Amino acid sequence: MNEHTLSLRLERVAANVPAGARLADIGSDHGYLPVALMRRGLITAAVAGEVAATPFHAARRTVRDNALEQQISVRLADGLAAIEPGDGITAISLCGMGGETIRDILEAGRAHLGGGERLILQPNGGEQPLRQWLMDNGYRILTEELLRENRFYYEIIVAERSGPVIYTDEELYFGPLQMQARSPQFLAKWQRMLRQKHKTLASLEQALQSVPEDKVQEVARQARWITQLLA
Ligand code: SAM
């Protein structure tokens, strides 16, 4: 993967960035996403934010190698602190991190959110707490994608602030739009998850003395939901 050829996962994230956006890519690593989008003429400007020095320097190198320093600002910053008021950001991508980490970045950076930005989120697990944050903060989920690459399933969640929105516990767990669409990929993912839950339950039952009862109940509840979903 590089700024010319994105992974399938980042290619699908790229497809959800609105044309002409001013993008903040937070946790940009090498900066491949904003650089690829700018090279293709699909965005107007970008900020690549990184909290760690090595990926920050890698992103600076990618931007410099493509002579895009005027269009893409690379900033060493924690989360949404990379966004400055004058940037006029219209879309924010947070990709390749755990859903809880993305949620924590959004929560800590609320002061940097104007409210009109489209969020393009690609959590690696932890989708449920991330969707919970979106609901609690008045974000409606506009699009959900599920894709499989290198044997891993990845979700992409696109959301915009809309005012109050209510999702059920099951919708927060499975994804409200994916639950409706029930794509073959989605059903295959949850068949695999059900097998994993049953394995987890079996090992928890063996270690019952040391495992808190509410942990066992939580896994059992999820297994029930998945069974109902697949029925
Ligand atoms: N977004 C790229 C992608 O999807 O391929 C890179 C994903 S990489 C696994 C996660 C990156 O997020 C790392 O480079 C890490 O330094 C950065 N990161 C983690 N927490 C961050 C934070 N609070 N603020 C900015 N960057 C962060």
Side-chain angles (χ1 to χ4, degrees):
M1 180 170 67
N2 55 37
E3 68 271 37
H4 309 283
T5 311
L6 296 177
S7 62
L8 172 63
R9 175 182 63 82
L10 280 185
E11 214 36 271
R12 293 310 310 156
V13 170
N16 281 289
V17 175
R22 299 178 67 86
L23 176 72
D25 184 42
I26 306 299
S28 198
D29 200 349
H30 289 82
Y32 292 152
L33 178 67
V35 171
L37 283 166
M38 191 63 79
R39 284 176 55 89
R40 298 174 192 178
L42 294 172
I43 56 173
T44 313
V47 170
E50 250 305 329
V51 76
T54 304
F56 164 72
H57 289 297
R60 275 224 303 214
R61 197 174 323 115
T62 310
V63 169
R64 200 176 45 234
D65 289 351
N66 288 274
L68 288 172
E69 294 101 320
Q70 295 302 312
Q71 294 94 334
I72 303 179
S73 306
V74 184
R75 297 186 187 140
L76 186 61
D78 188 353
L80 304 191
I83 300 173
E84 295 173 2
D87 293 331
I89 292 301
T90 60
I92 301 175
S93 51
L94 286 142
C95 306
M97 292 171 252
E100 286 96 343
T101 303
I102 296 178
R103 174 201 60 195
D104 293 347
I105 289 174
L106 290 168
E107 178 62 24
R110 277 166 52 161
H112 297 271
L113 290 169
E117 308 90 349
R118 175 167 295 199
L119 304 182
I120 302 118
L121 313 172
Q122 186 276 298
N124 291 345
E127 291 83 5
Q128 182 185 28
L130 180 56
R131 280 192 277 262
Q132 180 78 54
W133 186 92
L134 292 172
M135 179 175 94
D136 292 345
N137 288 275
Y139 281 82
R140 179 176 298 281
I141 296 175
L142 306 178
T143 310
E144 287 178 314
E145 280 196 34
L146 177 68
L147 62 105
R148 193 175 165 175
E149 186 174 45
N150 301 330
R151 294 179 44 246
F152 289 104
Y153 287 103
Y154 296 103
E155 290 198 26
I156 297 169
I157 302 170
V158 181
E160 274 181 12
R161 200 181 282 172
S162 66
V165 53
I166 298 198
Y167 296 120
T168 64
D169 287 349
E170 285 91 339
E171 285 175 324
L172 292 174
Y173 187 62
F174 294 111
L177 305 178
Q178 295 183 79
M179 255 184 106
Q180 276 173 20
R182 293 177 67 87
S183 70
Q185 188 100 306
F186 171 77
L187 296 174
K189 168 184 167 164
W190 288 105
Q191 274 153 6
R192 185 206 268 190
M193 290 294 277
L194 184 58
R195 287 194 294 276
Q196 284 175 8
K197 296 288 172 199
H198 284 152
K199 273 192 200 155
T200 306
L201 275 174
S203 55
L204 287 180
E205 270 160 23
Q206 278 183 352
L208 207 50
Q209 306 293 350
S210 51
V211 181
E213 179 58 20
D214 55 349
K215 161 95 180 140
V216 180
Q217 288 307 324
E218 177 61 18
V219 180
R221 188 163 67 120
Q222 292 169 352
R224 267 198 312 278
W225 280 349
I226 305 171
T227 306
Q228 283 161 11
L229 176 92
L230 297 173

